[in-house]
Amino acid sequence: MRDGFIKVAAVTPEVKVADIAFNLAEIKRRIREAAAGGAKLIVFPELSISAYSCRDIFFNDLLLQKSSEALLDIAAFSTDIDALIFVGLPISHKGKLYNVAAAVNKGHVLGLVPKLNVPNYGEFYETRQFIPGFIEPTEIRIGDEFVPFGAGLLFECVGMPELKVGVEICEDLWVPMPPSTQLALNGASVIANLSASNEITGKSAYRRELVADQSARSYSAYIYANAAWEESTTDVVFSGHNVIAEAGTVLKESKLFTTGVIMTEIDLNLIKSRREHMSTFPAAENDYADTFITETLYFDLEDTETVLTRFIDPHPFVPSDNTRRERRCDEILDIQTYGLMKRIKHTGAKTAVIGISGGLDSTLALIVAVRAFDKLGLSREGVIGVTMPGFGTTDRTYDNAVSLIHELGISFKEINISEAVRLHFKEIEHDESVHDTTYENCQARMRTMLLMDTANKFGGLVVGTGDMSELALGWATYNGDHMSMYGVNAGVPKTLVRYLVAYYADICGSDKVKSILYDVLDTPVSPELLPPETDGSIAQRTEDLVGPYELHDFFLYHFLRNNSSPKRIFRLAEYAFGDSYDRETILKWEKNFFRRFFSQQFKRSCLPDGPKVGTVCLSPRGDLRMASDTCSALWLAELEEL
């Protein structure tokens, strides 16, 4: 459970209707299987001890008696099981039957949660046997002990308060105001749903969306355990469709018409972070929560390390599915394009001036500008592509820049910066043979000044090209490429820039443009501020200097989106990149990330406007309100412990 991960299981056992002995043995077997796999939270389906399809046999005293005895047997069996277990059974209380979820831990029945919403429509007629449960907990005798009984029960792990479990049963999720909403408002980070949901055409997709959406709205993990196909009888068929979701993402689901255990790890730190960040998620003391009377019960788990089996995405900004990635690229290009369109219309700009280097970032900015002018019904000649060859410009990048400008039909302007930069060297008494920061930054600032002057001359604005990954690392010359009149790439991480350019290449409809763009994609990332190698190739490769952007984007996402600690980020990076980078390499660049991220905030504190396109943004006016002189010592010290 270290680093906030806990392994959970949704179980669909084989079942025989009303055969308590068979079902008890199968539940024990599946508990043993899930526990052996490391599961600390195990959820069985609705009425799993008796089976859901007993109908009027639920009224039979023998069935009720044996169901309660089986529950006590499961409790005794759980003495040496390090898990919180939920099983379903019918319970008689004060002359009425309730459909109940029982919580079991380390030899004890902790509490009983009744179903609040009992369906009586279509193929369901549960109100014939069961009555709706009640919220405010009372007590009921089970064996020799009195056990809390009520839908308002919450189960909290001793020593791990972020693991707090609420329970609802099947139909409870399908109503306009699910109990899980109130349970989450009262602190439940995990919702267990014991269900017997039959299968009809299209229902599995709706069920999956329902579980994912509820986990998103409640900022929780949601474990949905469904009844087996052996429950099928008369006019209904069940499929054992189990779903485990977390804050809107389905982590694991079973195939239809199968039995067994599905397991994955839920991230309690992520849930905690989301709730802390969302000001619209009410505190537990809020009036919304007070209307749902709860009682917290406590259970115990050993503090063990959770071995991760869930997929840790090495590229969290980039959807791995091709269809989703293409849709995301289209959305982002539109966000960038319409943001620039608004700035052009508002300022009355006649032109958009862009420095075209032949690299990825300026290429994406050019694509956005062309799209903006097309959508505004303006001539592409209003987009001025400026090439500014200098000391480090290579033939490859220069040729790609010029060819792309001509193929896209925009205006072309070339300004060689060499003599102007030499004049600056002379004025500040800098030796041109010394290739230091001064040598590099003089070129970057000269380019920006020339772009600004060009924009003034032609009644336009300068479109910025720097991306979010560069801003995170401070990999920009202050008041050089750092500055523009609208930074269209400011919200786009480097790992996503590549896919946006490739996506446009594939849909642009021009074989020549596509060929140029794919050569740009194949060119090493470089500011080209140092002279080329003797063979004319790029001498200055950015990722050799600051580290691989895929690592930095991973660090950035988990640091800002999930508020993760450096140790936790490192552990996740080992899972995500274990086949690509060794431990020392990951640690080296993570240290560099934190050192640069904190020391370079002063550059981000005065960024020009730029569109937010995703959940992570570095704008000082929006998502990142960070003091420019925040110290990095705390974060770097933790990495030194690794």
Side-chain angles (χ1 to χ4, degrees):
M1 295 179 290
R2 294 163 196 165
D3 291 329
F5 287 100
I6 181 171
K7 192 179 291 291
V8 301
V11 184
T12 297
E14 296 177 19
V15 66
K16 290 185 179 181
V17 178
D19 190 339
I20 306 296
F22 177 88
N23 297 340
L24 173 60
E26 174 67 359
I27 288 171
K28 287 181 178 180
R29 183 171 77 89
R30 294 301 188 181
I31 289 173
R32 193 179 297 111
E33 178 184 348
K40 303 294 186 181
L41 180 54
I42 305 170
V43 183
F44 284 85
E46 181 177 8
L47 296 166
S48 44
I49 289 177
S50 61
Y52 175 79
S53 302
C54 293
R55 301 192 175 186
D56 282 355
I57 301 301
F58 281 123
F59 293 118
N60 188 271
D61 284 344
L62 182 61
L63 182 84
L64 295 172
Q65 176 191 338
K66 292 300 182 182
S67 294
S68 293
E69 289 176 2
L71 174 59
L72 293 172
D73 196 329
I74 293 168
F77 174 77
S78 73
T79 300
D80 297 322
I81 303 292
D82 188 41
L84 176 64
I85 304 162
F86 291 98
V87 293
L89 75 159
I91 288 288
S92 176
H93 177 61
K94 293 184 178 180
K96 295 298 179 182
L97 291 186
Y98 294 88
N99 181 342
V100 168
V104 174
N105 174 246
K106 303 272 180 89
H108 299 283
V109 179
L110 300 182
L112 302 172
V113 178
K115 188 174 186 176
L116 288 178
N117 298 279
V118 181
N120 201 55
Y121 61 86
E123 62 269 38
F124 301 105
Y125 48 90
E126 288 181 33
T127 56
R128 180 179 174 90
Q129 294 94 26
F130 300 106
I131 69 167
F134 44 86
I135 297 173
E136 188 171 1
T138 182
E139 285 192 331
I140 183 173
R141 189 184 183 95
I142 297 291
D144 296 329
E145 296 184 5
F146 285 94
V147 176
F149 183 24
L153 294 179
L154 292 165
F155 303 89
E156 182 178 313
C157 183
V158 175
M160 193 179 185
E162 59 269 29
L163 176 56
K164 197 169 190 176
V165 186
V167 184
E168 59 188 7
I169 301 175
C170 199
E171 186 75 11
D172 288 339
L173 173 62
W174 303 69
V175 301
M177 180 62 76
S180 53
T181 299
Q182 295 286 359
L183 293 168
L185 292 178
N186 278 278
S189 56
V190 181
I191 304 297
N193 188 315
L194 291 72
S195 179
S197 175
N198 69 311
E199 208 59 57
I200 57 175
T201 302
K203 192 172 183 179
S204 62
Y206 181 66
R207 186 186 298 117
R208 180 191 308 112
E209 292 171 2
L210 198 63
V211 170
D213 288 349
Q214 184 62 4
S215 74
R217 282 192 299 271
S218 60
Y219 294 97
S220 67
Y222 202 105
I223 307 164
Y224 187 96
N226 203 358
W229 64 267
E230 289 101 338
E231 290 274 15
S232 305
T233 183
T234 315
D235 298 325
V236 290
V237 175
F238 297 86
S239 69
H241 183 211
N242 297 339
V243 183
I244 302 174
E246 174 190 273
T249 300
V250 173
L251 301 178
K252 195 89 174 236
E253 75 179 298
S254 64
K255 294 182 179 179
L256 299 186
F257 304 107
T258 59
T259 58
V261 180
I262 64 168
M263 289 190 287
T264 189
E265 301 79 40
I266 57 174
D267 188 348
L268 297 172
N269 278 23
L270 181 147
I271 294 165
K272 175 175 174 288
S273 173
R274 293 284 198 276
R275 290 183 176 184
E276 289 172 343
H277 184 73
M278 295 302 296
S279 61
T280 51
F281 190 89
E285 291 75 19
N286 190 286
D287 289 342
Y288 293 114
D290 288 344
T291 61
F292 197 91
I293 300 171
T294 62
E295 177 183 340
T296 299
L297 306 175
Y298 295 91
F299 65 96
D300 185 46
L301 294 176
E302 296 176 14
D303 185 13
T304 56
E305 182 172 348
T306 302
V307 177
L308 298 184
T309 61
R310 63 183 278 178
F311 175 63
I312 305 299
D313 195 341
H315 305 118
F317 291 111
V318 183
S320 55
D321 174 76
N322 286 338
T323 301
R324 287 181 57 235
R325 185 166 62 241
E326 289 177 0
R327 186 165 61 245
R328 180 77 58 83
C329 287
D330 192 59
E331 290 173 347
I332 291 173
L333 284 174
D334 275 347
I335 292 170
Q336 293 176 280
T337 299
Y338 281 94
L340 180 58
M341 287 166 60
K342 172 63 177 178
R343 179 56 52 91
I344 290 170
K345 288 190 68 175
H346 179 71
T347 59
K350 298 176 182 178
T351 62
V353 178
I354 309 175
I356 309 299
S357 67
L360 275 173
D361 291 341
S362 65
T363 297
L364 177 57
L366 176 57
I367 290 169
V368 171
V370 167
R371 282 168 52 94
F373 271 65
D374 287 350
K375 288 181 181 294
L376 287 169
L378 301 174
S379 169
R380 289 190 179 184
E381 292 181 356
V383 179
I384 303 176
V386 185
T387 61
M388 293 173 285
F391 305 135
T393 303
T394 61
D395 291 342
R396 181 180 185 180
T397 55
Y398 175 79
D399 291 343
N400 279 338
V402 173
S403 298
L404 190 59
I405 288 170
H406 289 313
E407 289 299 327
L408 289 176
I410 68 170
S411 297
F412 170 72
K413 186 172 182 59
E414 180 168 313
I415 307 172
N416 192 302
I417 67 169
S418 300
E419 289 307 312
V421 172
R422 287 192 175 100
L423 179 60
H424 275 248
F425 287 164
K426 180 180 178 182
E427 295 295 335
I428 64 173
E429 299 179 350
H430 180 74
D431 185 347
E432 184 180 336
S433 66
V434 178
H435 296 167
D436 58 4
T437 303
T438 303
Y439 178 88
E440 296 184 28
N441 286 351
C442 274
Q443 297 175 69
R445 290 195 181 95
M446 177 56 65
R447 285 179 170 136
T448 299
M449 183 179 72
L450 290 169
L451 290 174
M452 294 286 183
D453 291 345
T454 301
N456 289 154
K457 181 177 180 180
F458 293 102
L461 54 81
V462 176
V463 177
T465 62
D467 64 59
M468 185 168 68
S469 304
E470 293 178 341
L471 295 174
L473 296 169
W475 191 250
T477 298
Y478 194 91
N479 210 34
D481 51 316
H482 161 257
M483 192 49 58
S484 68
M485 290 145 181
Y486 193 73
V488 293
N489 296 338
V492 185
K494 184 74 80 176
T495 48
L496 192 52
V497 170
R498 303 189 64 85
Y499 287 97
L500 289 166
V501 173
Y503 172 73
Y504 183 81
D506 292 337
I507 66 168
C508 68
S510 167
D511 289 339
K512 288 186 177 179
V513 171
K514 181 177 180 179
S515 176
I516 297 167
L517 292 178
Y518 269 93
D519 194 63
V520 171
L521 287 164
D522 196 43
T523 303
V525 177
S526 172
E528 292 196 317
L529 296 173
L530 296 180
E533 301 286 5
T534 54
D535 63 359
S537 63
I538 292 172
Q540 189 180 24
R541 296 172 182 252
T542 298
E543 292 180 292
D544 291 343
L545 301 171
V546 298
Y549 274 115
E550 63 176 350
L551 284 178
H552 288 307
D553 283 356
F554 184 89
F555 302 149
L556 177 66
Y557 179 88
H558 286 280
F559 179 57
L560 289 187
R561 176 64 173 153
N562 297 337
N563 295 303
S564 297
S565 69
K567 278 186 178 179
R568 176 180 157 87
I569 294 172
F570 178 76
R571 184 187 180 205
L572 294 178
E574 283 193 299
Y575 276 97
F577 294 102
D579 294 335
S580 304
Y581 303 99
D582 59 29
R583 176 185 174 88
E584 290 72 23
T585 300
I586 295 172
L587 185 58
K588 170 187 174 182
W589 293 122
E590 187 176 353
K591 288 179 180 179
N592 192 52
F593 169 81
F594 279 104
R595 181 182 62 80
R596 294 193 66 98
F597 183 85
F598 280 87
S599 68
Q600 301 296 297
Q601 173 62 20
F602 74 98
K603 294 180 182 177
R604 298 188 292 269
S605 290
C606 58
L607 283 179
D609 295 339
K612 176 180 178 179
V613 303
T615 55
V616 176
C617 178
L618 301 178
S619 169
R621 297 165 294 276
D623 289 57
L624 186 62
R625 308 294 179 89
M626 176 178 170
S628 295
D629 302 302
T630 306
C631 184
S632 62
L634 191 66
W635 288 265
L636 292 174
E638 184 172 273
L639 288 174
E640 290 299 332
E641 297 173 7
L642 293 173

